[in-house]
């Protein structure tokens, strides 16, 4: 059975597959094989970044797949040491060359990196890159409620904000601000990056009752909230399992029970954007 992947409409009119495949910490030497397996499993949305150093492998897998370009959704990200118009343009060109593509579907500023100065000129350049067709949509990553206002102040509204978000770290303030502007949230680390034992929480109980895995319950909870996710796994059986989360339906009570796992900022498992440069 092939899973139908739901899509969402972005505030720029484009559509995005709500469930994709992330390649953070996928070894560059293994990336082509792993992304090929993900495409074979049915994924059509791949999330990479310049700093992952595996854009070439993603590009080779895309080229070898024979899948029509317009059936794929490819995201990459600008690293923190590239700021300002000239650097942003150069970095975008390097990413496209490595990916072997003439455009990406989504280009993100990877982190606010406040120690590196304002992102305004960089963000205005993103809008130019979009007008020029080098990226179809533009967005930001790790811009929580402390950092999103600087971007919004330009009058150019991101389509996406990609932030750490999982049951014990639900980012309610950032999510509320994004919703005011119809910015869709992409949840990175949707499974807690394997650093949280969610099977020992109510998620494990729900999974047992429904006869599915804790990872599928967690992903289904994200999808039900209208978030976009791209869990990472090097293992084919988990790629298939994670994609099948699109078939899992949770009750309102189950969703409320998972919502109650939020610990606010104490639930964060990775870097605080205020410190990450
Ligand atoms: P994740 O929550 O997807 O966790 C990945 C880990 O979960 C795997 O290494 C594996 O150990 C485990 N896992 C995966 N599937 C499983 C399953 N079915 N059952 C049990 N365990 C399973 O974390 P992530 O990879 O950090 O995040 C997903 C993607 O988000 C990344 O690959 C990347 O594309 C993106 N990301 C973005 C940023 C950013 O700063 N913008 C940061 C981190 C990740």
């Amino acid at each position: 059975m092939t899973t139908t992947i739901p899509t969402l409409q972005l505030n720029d009119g484009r559509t995005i597959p709500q469930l994709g495949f992330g390649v953070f910490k996928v070894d560059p030497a293994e990336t082509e094989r792993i992304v090929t397996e993900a495409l074979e499993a049915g994924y059509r949305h791949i999330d990479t970044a310049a700093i992952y150093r595996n854009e070439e492998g993603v590009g080779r897998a895309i080229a070898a797949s024979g899948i029509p370009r317009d059936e794929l959704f490819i995201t990459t990200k600008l690293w923190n040491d590239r700021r300002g118009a000239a650097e942003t343009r150069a970095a975008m060109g390097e990413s496209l060359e490595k990916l072997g593509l003439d455009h990406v579907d989504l280009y993100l500023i990877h982190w606010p990196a406040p120690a590196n100065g304002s992102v305004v000129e960089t963000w205005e350049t993103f809008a130019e890159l979009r007008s020029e067709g080098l990226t179809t949509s533009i967005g930001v990553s790790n811009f929580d409620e402390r950092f999103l206002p600087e971007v919004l102040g330009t009058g150019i509204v991101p389509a996406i904000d990609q932030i750490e978000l999982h049951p014990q770290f639900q980012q309610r303030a950032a999510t509320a601000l994004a919703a005011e502007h119809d910015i869709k949230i992409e949840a990175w680390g949707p499974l807690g990056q394997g650093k949280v034992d969610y099977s020992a929480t109510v998620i494990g109980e729900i999974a047992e009752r429904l006869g599915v895995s804790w990872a599928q319950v967690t992903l289904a909870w994200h999808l039900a909230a209208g978030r976009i996710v791209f869990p990472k796994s090097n293992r084919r059986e988990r790629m298939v399992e994670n994609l099948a989360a699109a078939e899992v339906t949770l009750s309102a009570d189950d969703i409320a029970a998972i919502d109650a796992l939020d610990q606010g900022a104490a639930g964060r498992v990775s870097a605080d954007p205020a410190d990450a440069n």
Side-chain angles (χ1 to χ4, degrees), residues 21-24 47-48 52 77 110-111 141-142 162 187-194 213-215 230-233 238 241-242:
F21 185 74
V23 295
F24 178 46
D47 182 89
T48 185
Y52 301 168
K77 314 186 191 88
H110 204 146
W111 292 85
S141 176
N142 297 298
Q162 181 181 127
W188 67 253
L191 300 173
Q193 295 194 312
S213 72
W214 72 267
F230 22 82
K232 174 244 165 184
S233 180
R238 282 183 169 173
E241 174 188 331
N242 293 343

Side-chain angles (χ1 to χ4, degrees), residues 27-184:
D27 184 343
E30 301 251 48
T31 301
E32 180 179 355
R33 176 183 64 78
I34 289 170
V35 173
T36 296
E37 288 184 4
L39 295 171
E40 285 170 2
Y43 289 93
R44 292 294 180 266
H45 169 178
I46 307 292
D47 182 89
T48 185
I51 195 67
Y52 301 168
R53 311 216 184 281
N54 57 21
E55 289 168 310
E56 287 105 328
V58 171
R60 283 195 297 270
I62 292 169
S65 74
I67 297 169
R69 177 68 185 88
D70 63 2
E71 291 177 21
L72 295 169
F73 191 101
I74 309 298
T75 298
T76 195
K77 314 186 191 88
L78 176 78
W79 188 240
N80 304 342
D81 59 356
R82 314 298 290 269
R83 288 290 184 266
E87 279 293 302
T88 298
R89 285 182 171 280
M92 164 107 268
E94 291 160 24
S95 282
L96 289 175
E97 185 165 349
K98 287 177 180 164
L99 287 162
L101 298 176
D102 62 5
H103 72 284
V104 288
D105 298 277
L106 177 63
Y107 198 38
L108 301 175
I109 300 181
H110 204 146
W111 292 85
N116 298 354
S118 165
V119 296
V120 165
E121 185 182 326
T122 300
W123 183 238
E124 289 172 346
T125 305
F126 266 51
E128 292 171 14
L129 296 172
R130 181 180 56 188
S131 303
E132 294 161 22
L134 298 178
T135 180
T136 306
S137 296
I138 57 174
V140 293
S141 176
N142 297 298
F143 283 61
D144 61 23
E145 69 285 1
R146 298 167 296 177
F147 300 103
L148 210 43
E150 186 187 22
V151 167
L152 293 170
T154 63
I156 305 160
V157 183
I160 291 284
D161 194 2
Q162 181 181 127
I163 54 178
E164 181 188 340
L165 198 158
H166 41 93
Q168 69 173 32
F169 184 44
Q170 293 183 29
Q171 296 259 30
R172 295 191 201 266
T175 298
L177 180 55
E180 279 176 37
H181 300 273
D182 191 23
I183 299 166
K184 291 283 184 285

